[in-house]
C-alpha cells in the first residue's frame, strides 16, 4: 500500500525540517520541494490504491508500486543522513566536543549535506518521471466518494465498547451443542464438533456455550486452545496442560520468586508433556475446546493424552468440514453442529445491533436497507459486522446509499435502484437460500471497503496487526507502545501519546475491524483480537505493500529490502539461525514462544544478524535464549522500542546509554541487572519494564516522559528520605520489589511526588501502610501489596482513606497479615470493585461491616486460618463473583449471601467440608447459594 509508504516518508521529512537551520543549509529547499511533491502524490495515491486492490487496471498497479518504491527511497536517504549526522555528533562528543554539529564550514558537514542534496534531487527526478507516466498511460484520478471522508454520523450509535459478540440466529445451535455436552446418557469421553464455512460464527457459538452457567457448572476443568498455523502436537498439549494447571492451582503465590522448572525458559526439556497432561486431567470431568483444523496425527496424540474415565468428559472441535476427517474414528462422536447463514430477519437484527446498539434505524429508512444488507452480505456474520462498521460513521441516507451502491452485486443493482425509487414504509421479502452464498470475493470487497474507509493513520495501525500472532489476544498496552515507536500516533494537545493510541484502538473497535477482548473499569482497552479472515486480509495487504513481511521460522528468507519482519512460529526446532543481513530493516517482531506462559523454545542466537540493520526502530523478540546483548546495540541510535523477553539476561552493555531515542525498554527475566547511569539520562524514555537496580538519590535525567517503571528494586536508598523519583513526576505505573523497612523514608518521599500514579505494586519484607494515607495518590486505581505491612491495624489517618482514594478500584494483598481495623478501612473505599486477600489476614474471625464494600464486584479470599466470617446484611450488595481458596477451617458461609441478588458465581477450591454443606437437600448452607447460577467446586 503506497499510501502508508508516503505517510512514513512525509513524517521523516517533517522530522528533518524540524532540525535547526544550520543543518539544513543548502539542503532545506530540496527537502521542502520533496515534501511538497509527496503531499501532492498523497492525495492521488489513495484512489489508486483502491483501484489496485480491485485489480482492474495493471497500469495503476505498476504506478502504485513505483510510487511506493520511491517513497521508500526517500525514507532511506533521510534516515541515512540522520544516522550519519548522529554518529558524527557522538564522535565529536567523545573527542571532548559539545556541539551538536560541526561548524558550518566543516568539510565533513558539507560532504554530508552535499550527499543528501544529490540523493533528494535524484528522488525528485524519479517522482517527476512517475507523474509523467501517469499522464502518458491515462491513469486518471477519480475523486474519492463523499462517504470516504465522513467522520461522524447523525444517527445514535452503539458505544464503542457495546459491541459484544451478539449471537443472533444461533440459539437453536446453542441448544443442540449444550445437549451434546451435558448428555448424561453418554458417560464415555465423547467428541462434539462445530463445522461450517469460514466466518459463519462457529467460534462465537462455541464461546457462548463455553461461558454459559450450565457448562461452567458441569465441568471441573475447561480449556480453550486456538490452533495457529503449523502448530505442533506438543505445543497443543502444553497449552491445554497450562490452562488446566492454572485452574487447579488458581494462582501461584507471587511472593515466591522461584520459577518452577517446567515454567522456565526451555519448557522442561525431556519431560513427557503427554503424561503430565494425563495426570492433570485424571479423576476430573473436563471440557477441552480445540479451535481450528487439527491433523490426524496430532489428534491421535491428543486422544492418548486425555483420560477416558466414564465421567462425561468432552472434546469440542471447531473446524471446517475437511478438519472433521481427522476425527472420523475417535470413539463416541456426536453428529456435527452445522450453523447456517443468517436469514434476512436475523441478518438485519445483527446489523442493527452492531450499528445502533439498543436503538434502531429510523423507521423511514428501515425497509430501504433491510434487503440491501442481506443482498450484500448473504447472511454471513463477519460480512454483516464489517459492513456495520463502515456504516456506523456514515450519514443517513446519502452516504449509506452510496456505500450500498458500491457493494451491491452487479446483477442486483438495477433491482435495487427500482426498489429505491418506490421505497416507502412497506417492507419487502426475499427468500433465504440457506446453503447459497456470496463468493469469497464479495466478502473481500467488503473488507477492502472497510480498509479504504480508514483514515491514513489508522491504516498503518491496522496493518501492523499482521505482525501479531493469529488467533491470539493482543495486549493493548504493548500494541500502543509499538504504534508510538513506529510513529503512527500523532501528538494531541492535552493527551499523552498512549492516550491517543488508546483512542485509535477504540476507533478500530468501533469500526469492527478489531474485536474487544477486555477492558478495565475506567474504559481503557486491555486486550484485543482480530478475526482470522481480517487477519489474513491484513497480512495479504501488508505483504503486497511491503509494509510487513510475515514468516515462520522455517522460511526466513527475507530479501535485503525488507523493512518490517515478523517471525511468528509455533513449529520450530530448538535451534534457529537468523543470519541474513537486513540493511533496510526498521522493525523486527519475533515470537518463538508457545503457550500462555511464554516459554522460550529457541536457542543459539546473539542478535548478530541485526548488526547490519542500522535503521532499526523496533526490536520486539520473545523466546530466544539470550544471555547478553552485543555491545553494538549502542550504535542503533534510531531504536525507539527494545523488547527482549528472552529468559534471564546476565548483563547489559554500557553502550545502551547511547540509545538517545529509546522510548520503551521491555526485558524479561528475574535476575537483577546493573545498568549504566547514562541510561537514566535518556530524555525520551517512556516505559521501562526491567529487573534493574534503581539508584538512590534523584535519577540523573529529566525523565518527564517516563510513565511506566516496573521490575526495579532499590539500590543505595539511604534512611535520609531523599526522593529517588524526583525527576519522574509523570509516572503512571510503578512496581518495586525487595523493599525493607530501611527504604521506607525514600519510598514515602517518592510516593508524595507521584500525583499522576494510577497503578502501584510493592513487594518486600516491610511495606508501608501509608500508601492508603499519602495525600498525593488520589488518582490511584490499582494497588497490589506482596509482603507484610508495617501497620497491620491500618495507617495513621486511615479514617480519611475514603476521601483520598476515591478512584481505587482494585486491591490485591498477599501475605500482608493485616488485622480487622485494616479491613474496616478497605470497606470504606467508595469505588472498590475487586478485592483479593491471599494469606493476607491475621486472625480466625473476619467481619465485613453492615454497609461496607458497597461497590464490590469480585471478592477472592485465601485465608487458611479463617474460622468465622461475618457479613452485614447490606454489605457487598453488588457482589457478582466470590472465590474461596483453601479456607478449610471456615465453619459456614455467611447468611448474607442468601440476599445477594447479583451473585453470579461461587468457586470453592480445596474446601471439601464446605462442598458438603452446600449440597442440595442435605447441606446446611444450601439455601444461602441456591440462587447462584454457577457454583464450581475444585479439590
Amino acid at each position: 500500500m503506497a499510501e502508508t509508504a508516503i505517510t512514513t516518508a512525509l513524517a521523516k521529512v517533517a522530522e528533518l525540517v524540524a532540525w535547526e537551520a544550520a543543518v539544513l543549509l543548502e539542503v532545506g529547499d530540496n527537502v521542502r520541494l520533496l515534501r511538497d511533491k509527496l503531499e501532492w502524490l498523497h492525495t492521488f495515491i489513495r484512489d489508486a490504491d483502491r483501484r489496485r486492490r480491485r485489480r482492474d487496471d495493471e497500469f495503476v498497479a505498476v504506478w502504485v508500486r513505483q510510487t511506493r518504491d520511491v517513497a521508500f527511497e526517500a525514507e532511506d536517504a533521510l534516515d541515512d543522513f540522520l544516522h550519519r549526522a548522529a554518529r558524527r555528533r557522538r564522535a565529536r562528543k567523545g573527542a571532548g566536543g559539545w556541539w551538536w554539529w560541526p561548524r558550518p564550514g566543516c568539510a565533513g558537514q558539507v560532504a554530508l549535506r552535499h550527499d543528501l542534496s544529490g540523493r533528494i534531487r535524484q528522488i525528485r527526478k524519479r517522482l517527476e518521471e512517475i507523474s509523467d507516466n501517469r499522464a502518458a498511460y491515462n491513469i486518471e484520478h477519480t475523486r474519492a466518494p463523499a462517504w470516504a471522508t465522513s467522520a461522524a454520523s447523525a444517527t445514535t450509535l452503539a458505544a464503542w465498547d457495546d459491541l459484544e459478540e451478539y449471537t443472533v440466529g444461533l440459539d437453536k445451535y446453542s441448544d443442540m451443542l449444550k445437549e451434546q455436552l451435558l448428555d448424561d446418557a453418554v458417560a464415555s469421553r465423547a467428541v462434539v464438533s462445530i463445522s461450517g464455512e469460514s466466518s459463519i460464527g462457529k467460534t462465537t457459538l462455541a464461546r457462548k456455550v463455553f461461558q454459559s452457567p450450565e457448562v461452567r457448572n458441569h465441568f471441573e476443568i475447561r480449556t480453550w486452545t486456538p490452533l495457529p498455523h503449523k502448530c505442533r502436537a506438543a505445543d497443543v498439549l502444553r497449552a491445554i496442560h497450562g490452562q488446566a494447571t492454572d485452574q487447579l492451582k488458581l494462582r501461584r503465590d507471587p511472593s515466591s520468586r522461584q520459577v518452577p522448572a517446567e515454567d522456565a525458559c526451555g519448557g522442561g526439556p525431556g519431560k513427557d508433556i503427554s503424561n503430565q497432561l494425563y495426570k492433570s486431567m485424571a479423576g476430573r470431568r473436563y471440557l477441552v475446546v480445540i479451535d481450528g483444523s487439527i491433523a490426524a496425527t496430532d489428534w491421535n496424540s491428543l486422544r492418548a493424552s486425555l483420560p477416558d474415565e466414564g465421567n462425561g468428559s468432552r472434546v469440542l472441535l471447531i473446524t471446517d468440514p475437511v478438519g472433521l476427517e481427522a476425527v472420523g474414528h475417535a470413539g463416541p462422536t456426536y453428529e456435527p453442529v452445522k450453523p447456517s447463514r443468517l436469514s434476512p430477519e436475523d441478518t438485519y437484527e445483527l446489523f442493527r445491533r452492531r450499528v445502533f446498539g439498543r436503538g434502531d434505524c429510523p423507521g423511514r429508512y428501515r425497509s430501504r436497507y433491510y434487503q440491501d444488507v442481506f443482498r450484500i452480505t448473504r447472511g454471513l456474520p463477519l460480512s454483516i459486522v464489517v459492513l456495520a462498521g463502515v456504516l456506523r460513521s456514515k450519514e443517513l441516507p446519502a452516504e449509506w446509499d452510496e456505500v450500498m451502491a458500491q457493494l451491491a452485486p452487479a446483477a442486483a443493482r438495477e433491482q435495487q435502484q427500482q426498489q429505491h425509487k418506490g421505497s416507502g414504509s412497506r417492507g419487502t421479502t426475499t427468500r433465504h437460500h440457506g446453503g447459497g452464498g456470496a463468493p469469497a470475493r464479495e466478502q473481500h470487497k467488503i473488507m477492502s471497503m472497510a480498509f479504504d474507509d480508514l483514515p491514513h493513520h489508522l491504516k498503518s495501525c491496522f496493518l501492523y496487526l499482521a505482525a501479531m500472532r493469529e488467533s491470539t489476544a493482543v495486549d493493548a498496552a504493548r500494541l500502543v507502545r509499538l504504534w508510538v515507536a513506529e510513529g503512527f500516533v500523532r501528538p494531541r494537545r492535552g493527551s499523552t501519546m498512549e492516550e491517543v493510541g488508546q483512542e485509535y484502538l477504540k476507533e478500530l473497535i468501533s469500526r469492527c475491524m478489531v474485536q474487544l477482548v477486555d477492558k478495565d473499569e475506567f474504559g481503557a482497552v486491555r486486550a484485543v483480537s482480530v478475526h482470522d479472515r481480517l487477519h489474513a486480509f491484513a497480512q495479504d495487504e501488508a505483504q503486497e505493500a511491503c509494509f510487513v513481511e510475515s514468516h515462520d521460522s522455517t522460511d526466513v528468507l527475507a530479501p535485503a529490502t525488507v523493512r518490517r519482519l515478523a517471525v511468528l512460529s509455533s513449529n520450530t526446532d530448538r535451534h534457529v539461525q537468523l543470519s541474513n543481513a537486513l540493511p533496510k530493516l526498521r522493525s523486527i517482531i519475533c515470537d518463538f514462544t508457545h503457550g500462555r506462559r511464554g516459554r522460550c523454545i529457541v536457542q543459539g542466537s546473539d542478535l548478530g544478524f541485526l548488526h547490519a540493520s542500522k535503521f532499526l526502530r523496533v526490536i520486539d523478540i520473545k523466546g530466544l535464549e539470550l544471555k547478553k546483548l552485543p555491545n553494538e546495540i549502542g550504535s542503533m541510535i534510531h531504536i525507539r522500542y527494545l523488547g527482549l523477553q528472552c529468559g534471564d539476561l546476565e548483563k547489559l552493555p554500557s553502550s545502551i546509554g547511547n540509545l538517545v531515542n529509546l522510548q520503551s525498554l521491555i526485558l524479561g527475566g528475574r535476575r537483577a541487572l546493573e545498568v549504566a547511569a547514562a541510561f537514566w539520562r535518556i530524555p525520551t524514555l517512556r516505559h521501562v519494564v526491567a529487573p534493574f537496580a534503581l539508584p538512590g538519590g534523584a535519577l540523573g535525567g529529566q525523565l518527564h516522559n517516563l510513565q511506566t517503571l516496573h521490575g526495579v528494586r532499590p539500590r543505595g536508598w539511604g534512611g535520609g528520605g531523599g526522593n529517588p523519583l524526583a525527576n519522574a513526576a509523570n509516572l503512571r505505573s510503578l512496581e518495586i520489589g525487595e523493599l525493607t523497612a530501611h527504604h521506607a523514608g525514600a519510598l514515602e518521599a517518592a510516593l508524595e511526588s507521584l500525583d499522576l500514579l494510577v497503578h502501584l505494586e510493592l513487594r518486600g519484607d516491610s511495606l508501608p501502610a501509608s500508601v492508603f494515607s499519602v495525600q498525593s495518590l488520589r488518582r490511584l486505581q490499582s494497588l497490589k501489596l506482596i509482603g507484610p505491612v508495617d501497620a497491620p491495624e491500618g495507617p495513621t489517618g486511615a479514617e480519611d482513606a475514603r476521601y483520598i482514594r476515591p478512584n481505587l478500584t482494585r486491591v490485591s494483598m498477599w501475605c500482608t497479615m493485616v488485622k480487622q481495623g485494616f479491613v474496616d478501612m478497605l470497606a470504606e473505599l467508595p469505588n472498590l470493585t475487586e478485592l483479593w486477600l491471599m494469606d493476607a489476614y491475621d486472625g480466625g474471625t473476619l467481619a465485613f461491616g453492615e454497609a461496607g464494600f458497597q461497590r464490590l464486584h469480585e471478592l477472592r479470599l485465601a485465608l487458611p486460618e479463617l474460622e468465622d466470617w461475618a457479613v452485614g446484611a447490606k454489605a457487598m450488595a453488588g457482589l457478582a463473583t466470590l472465590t474461596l481458596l483453601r479456607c478449610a477451617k471456615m465453619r459456614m458461609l455467611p447468611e448474607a449471601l442468601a440476599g445477594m441478588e447479583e451473585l453470579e458465581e461461587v468457586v470453592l477450591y480445596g474446601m471439601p467440608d464446605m462442598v458438603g454443606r452446600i449440597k442440595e437437600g442435605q447441606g446446611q448452607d444450601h439455601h444461602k447459594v441456591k440462587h447462584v447460577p454457577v457454583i464450581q467446586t475444585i479439590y
Side-chain angles (χ1 to χ4, degrees):
M1 190 182 68
E3 186 179 352
T4 58
I6 294 179
T7 301
T8 302
L10 282 169
K12 188 61 60 178
V13 170
E15 181 181 340
L16 186 61
V17 169
W19 284 37
E20 49 189 283
V23 180
L24 294 178
L25 187 65
E26 300 176 3
V27 182
D29 288 343
N30 281 321
V31 171
R32 293 182 182 92
L33 288 171
L34 173 62
R35 179 191 60 192
D36 293 344
K37 189 65 178 179
L38 289 172
E39 286 177 344
W40 277 108
L41 281 173
H42 203 233
T43 63
F44 285 89
I45 206 66
R46 185 173 190 175
D47 170 64
D49 253 333
R50 187 183 301 114
R51 293 165 62 190
R52 187 262 306 166
R53 268 186 287 280
R54 295 202 302 263
R55 290 177 169 80
D56 57 0
D57 191 333
E58 189 61 29
F59 289 121
V60 170
V62 172
W63 184 72
V64 168
R65 185 174 63 251
Q66 290 181 352
T67 304
R68 178 200 64 207
D69 290 345
V70 177
F72 284 158
E73 188 178 338
E75 183 190 7
D76 290 343
L78 298 174
D79 269 339
D80 185 56
F81 174 79
L82 294 173
H83 180 81
R84 291 164 63 189
R87 287 183 60 187
R88 290 183 60 82
R89 174 206 174 198
R90 218 168 48 243
R92 181 82 173 175
K93 290 181 68 176
W98 54 273
W99 295 95
W100 269 77
W101 294 94
R103 294 180 179 85
C106 176
Q109 184 184 5
V110 171
L112 201 59
R113 292 197 310 248
H114 181 74
D115 180 61
L116 176 62
S117 184
R119 294 179 69 176
I120 289 179
R121 283 196 298 270
Q122 289 295 322
I123 292 167
R124 286 176 50 211
K125 183 179 178 181
R126 282 199 61 193
L127 288 174
E128 293 292 346
E129 293 172 353
I130 291 172
S131 296
D132 293 341
N133 288 338
R134 184 174 68 84
Y137 293 104
N138 294 319
I139 302 174
E140 296 182 357
H141 172 63
T142 56
R143 293 183 60 186
W147 54 262
T149 58
S150 176
S153 173
T155 57
T156 302
L157 301 176
W160 70 270
D161 56 349
D162 191 29
L163 300 175
E164 69 269 16
E165 290 184 307
Y166 294 111
T167 53
V168 175
L170 297 179
D171 289 345
K172 174 179 68 175
Y173 307 108
S174 176
D175 292 341
M176 294 168 56
L177 197 56
K178 288 180 185 178
E179 183 179 344
Q180 296 179 3
L181 292 174
L182 307 177
D183 185 6
D184 291 332
V186 179
S188 300
R189 181 195 66 204
V191 177
V192 178
S193 58
I194 306 175
S195 176
E197 62 181 309
S198 178
S199 312
I200 199 68
K202 302 187 294 294
T203 298
T204 301
L205 168 63
R207 196 168 295 282
K208 176 187 178 182
V209 173
F210 185 80
Q211 295 173 343
S212 66
E214 305 96 309
V215 170
R216 290 160 67 188
N217 273 330
H218 191 72
F219 295 99
E220 184 175 355
I221 296 177
R222 297 176 304 124
T223 69
W224 184 295
T225 306
L227 295 187
H229 181 57
K230 294 186 178 179
C231 65
R232 300 185 305 176
D235 294 339
V236 177
L237 300 183
R238 286 191 184 93
I240 297 171
H241 179 253
Q243 293 179 58
T245 302
D246 286 347
Q247 290 177 40
L248 293 174
K249 294 181 179 178
L250 289 185
R251 288 275 181 176
R252 185 175 293 114
D253 183 353
S255 63
S256 170
R257 306 304 292 170
Q258 298 298 318
V259 185
E262 67 270 18
D263 287 353
C265 188
K271 292 196 174 184
D272 184 359
I273 186 60
S274 178
N275 188 40
Q276 291 182 65
L277 177 58
Y278 193 96
K279 290 179 179 179
S280 296
M281 297 294 203
R284 308 179 190 280
R285 181 189 290 159
Y286 57 81
L287 169 61
V288 172
V289 180
I290 303 296
D291 189 357
S293 295
I294 187 169
T297 53
D298 294 344
W299 170 245
N300 291 334
S301 297
L302 177 60
R303 287 178 56 204
S305 305
L306 296 175
D308 184 359
E309 300 174 305
N311 58 6
S313 293
R314 296 288 187 266
V315 177
L316 172 59
L317 291 179
I318 308 170
T319 185
D320 53 28
V322 176
L324 287 179
E325 298 178 3
V327 297
H329 305 284
T333 304
Y334 287 94
E335 189 69 22
V337 176
K338 298 181 177 180
S340 62
R341 297 191 180 196
L342 301 183
S343 67
E345 294 78 11
D346 287 336
T347 293
Y348 183 78
E349 178 63 13
L350 177 58
F351 173 81
R352 180 193 65 78
R353 290 188 182 183
R354 280 286 178 164
V355 176
F356 302 103
R358 296 176 178 84
D360 198 355
C361 183
R364 64 185 181 278
Y365 299 123
R366 188 180 188 280
S367 60
R368 182 167 177 170
Y369 301 115
Y370 178 85
Q371 294 297 331
D372 286 348
V373 173
F374 179 71
R375 183 182 300 110
I376 291 169
T377 64
R378 291 293 191 267
L380 200 60
L382 178 62
S383 297
I384 299 167
V385 165
V386 176
L387 176 61
V390 173
L391 293 175
R392 276 173 60 83
S393 61
K394 304 296 167 249
E395 295 283 354
L396 272 169
E399 292 180 353
W400 279 46
D401 286 343
E402 191 165 354
V403 170
M404 296 295 189
Q406 289 281 332
L407 290 174
R413 217 164 263 165
E414 183 177 347
Q415 176 189 353
Q416 176 194 26
Q417 292 169 354
Q418 292 299 321
Q419 289 176 350
H420 283 185
K421 286 179 182 178
S423 66
S425 57
R426 293 179 303 155
T428 55
T429 348
T430 295
R431 182 173 298 173
H432 174 231
H433 303 285
R441 65 177 178 273
E442 291 300 330
Q443 186 179 68
H444 187 273
K445 190 174 182 180
I446 296 172
M447 290 189 290
S448 292
M449 174 170 280
F451 179 71
D452 286 333
D453 191 47
L454 293 175
H456 300 307
H457 57 282
L458 289 188
K459 281 188 169 74
S460 297
C461 292
F462 175 72
L463 288 186
Y464 207 74
L465 290 163
M468 305 293 120
R469 190 186 290 276
E470 65 177 327
S471 306
T472 304
V474 179
D475 179 73
R478 171 185 170 236
L479 181 61
V480 168
R481 291 171 187 172
L482 288 167
W483 285 350
V484 172
E486 293 280 4
F488 301 156
V489 179
R490 301 172 179 175
R492 183 188 301 163
R493 179 176 294 181
S495 300
T496 66
M497 298 289 275
E498 289 73 14
E499 289 168 346
V500 177
Q502 275 275 329
E503 293 302 315
Y504 287 6
L505 201 48
K506 290 175 182 178
E507 185 169 355
L508 286 172
I509 294 170
S510 176
R511 289 172 175 268
C512 303
M513 300 293 281
V514 168
Q515 296 171 324
L516 176 66
V517 174
D518 190 23
K519 65 183 179 73
D520 67 17
E521 297 85 349
F522 291 85
V525 181
R526 286 177 175 168
V528 296
S529 64
V530 183
H531 190 282
D532 289 351
R533 292 297 292 271
L534 281 167
H535 187 269
F537 173 85
Q539 284 200 324
D540 289 345
E541 185 65 24
Q543 193 89 9
E544 172 76 20
C546 298
F547 185 83
V548 174
E549 294 269 357
S550 297
H551 299 266
D552 64 33
S553 61
T554 61
D555 69 344
V556 183
L557 302 174
T561 57
V562 66
R563 309 180 82 79
R564 292 187 184 92
L565 175 63
V567 185
L568 309 171
S569 174
S570 58
N571 178 30
T572 180
D573 298 324
R574 286 188 55 80
H575 294 270
V576 173
Q577 294 298 324
L578 301 172
S579 56
N580 294 333
L582 303 168
K584 306 289 187 183
L585 193 66
R586 264 66 177 184
S587 305
I588 181 166
I589 297 176
C590 297
D591 188 352
F592 299 118
T593 60
H594 59 68
R596 295 185 302 130
R597 300 182 185 184
R599 299 186 184 95
C600 301
I601 59 175
V602 177
Q603 297 174 344
S605 178
D606 61 356
L607 302 187
F609 64 98
L610 297 179
H611 290 174
S613 306
K614 61 183 180 181
F615 300 143
L616 266 172
R617 298 172 65 98
V618 169
I619 300 177
D620 187 26
I621 300 178
K622 301 178 183 179
L624 292 179
E625 290 193 357
L626 193 64
K627 298 300 181 184
K628 63 179 182 179
L629 293 179
N631 196 56
E632 291 81 1
I633 195 78
S635 66
M636 300 179 183
I637 57 173
H638 294 287
I639 289 181
R640 268 73 168 167
Y641 185 103
L642 178 58
L644 297 171
Q645 299 186 51
C646 303
D648 280 327
L649 287 170
E650 295 177 353
K651 65 176 299 185
L652 291 176
S654 59
S655 63
I656 199 167
N658 295 335
L659 302 180
V660 294
N661 293 301
L662 187 65
Q663 298 173 356
S664 298
L665 178 67
I666 315 294
L667 300 181
R670 300 171 186 267
R671 185 195 302 268
L673 294 172
E674 298 290 340
V675 64
F679 172 80
W680 299 112
R681 292 193 291 270
I682 299 175
T684 55
L685 281 178
R686 306 180 72 86
H687 308 282
V688 177
V689 180
F692 284 163
L694 190 65
L699 295 180
Q702 296 297 313
L703 299 176
H704 298 306
N705 291 311
L706 189 62
Q707 298 181 37
T708 304
L709 186 60
H710 288 184
V712 296
R713 61 271 334 251
R715 180 66 54 84
W717 291 19
N723 182 1
L725 297 174
N727 295 329
N730 289 319
L731 267 178
R732 264 69 167 181
S733 185
L734 175 64
E735 296 184 0
I736 304 180
E738 299 184 9
L739 290 165
T740 67
H742 182 67
H743 304 133
L747 178 60
E748 188 159 341
L751 296 180
E752 288 279 7
S753 66
L754 301 179
D755 293 322
L756 301 179
L757 202 65
V758 172
H759 166 76
L760 175 63
E761 177 182 313
L762 303 178
R763 183 191 302 261
D765 299 330
S766 178
L767 308 180
S770 60
V771 293
F772 288 95
S773 58
V774 171
Q775 294 288 324
S776 59
L777 303 180
R778 293 179 180 273
R779 301 193 185 194
L780 194 65
Q781 299 174 12
S782 171
L783 175 64
K784 188 172 187 177
L785 302 176
I786 304 172
V789 297
D790 58 8
E793 284 288 355
T796 303
E799 63 277 4
D800 295 329
R802 63 175 303 161
Y803 304 111
I804 62 177
R805 294 293 175 271
N807 295 301
L808 192 56
T809 59
R810 295 191 301 276
V811 173
S812 177
M813 301 171 66
W814 301 69
C815 308
T816 51
M817 304 310 293
V818 299
K819 297 184 180 296
Q820 182 65 52
F822 207 109
V823 175
D824 292 341
M825 176 194 67
L826 296 176
E828 295 296 317
L829 294 173
N831 287 301
L832 187 66
T833 60
E834 182 180 316
L835 175 64
W836 288 25
L837 297 177
M838 314 296 286
D839 293 315
Y841 183 73
D842 184 13
T845 301
L846 176 64
F848 284 7
E850 183 66 24
F853 299 108
Q854 284 300 295
R855 298 291 299 276
L856 199 64
H857 185 81
E858 178 182 346
L859 174 64
R860 181 169 293 197
L861 301 178
L863 305 174
E865 301 303 318
L866 184 63
E867 298 178 5
D868 296 304
W869 180 28
V871 177
K874 296 181 180 179
M876 302 190 298
L879 190 68
T881 303
L882 171 64
T883 303
L884 302 177
L885 301 89
R886 302 182 300 277
C887 301
K889 295 184 179 181
M890 186 182 292
R891 295 190 178 100
M892 65 181 69
L893 293 176
E895 189 68 36
L897 295 182
M900 295 182 184
E901 299 178 354
E902 303 296 323
L903 193 57
E904 299 175 353
E905 181 176 11
V906 172
V907 179
L908 303 178
Y909 174 77
M911 300 174 62
D913 293 342
M914 190 61 70
V915 172
R917 292 184 63 89
I918 64 172
K919 284 186 177 178
E920 185 175 0
Q922 55 184 342
Q924 301 94 317
D925 285 355
H926 173 69
H927 69 284
K928 302 174 184 178
V929 294
K930 66 180 182 180
H931 64 293
V932 181
V934 178
I935 299 178
Q936 290 185 295
T937 58
I938 304 173
Y939 295 98

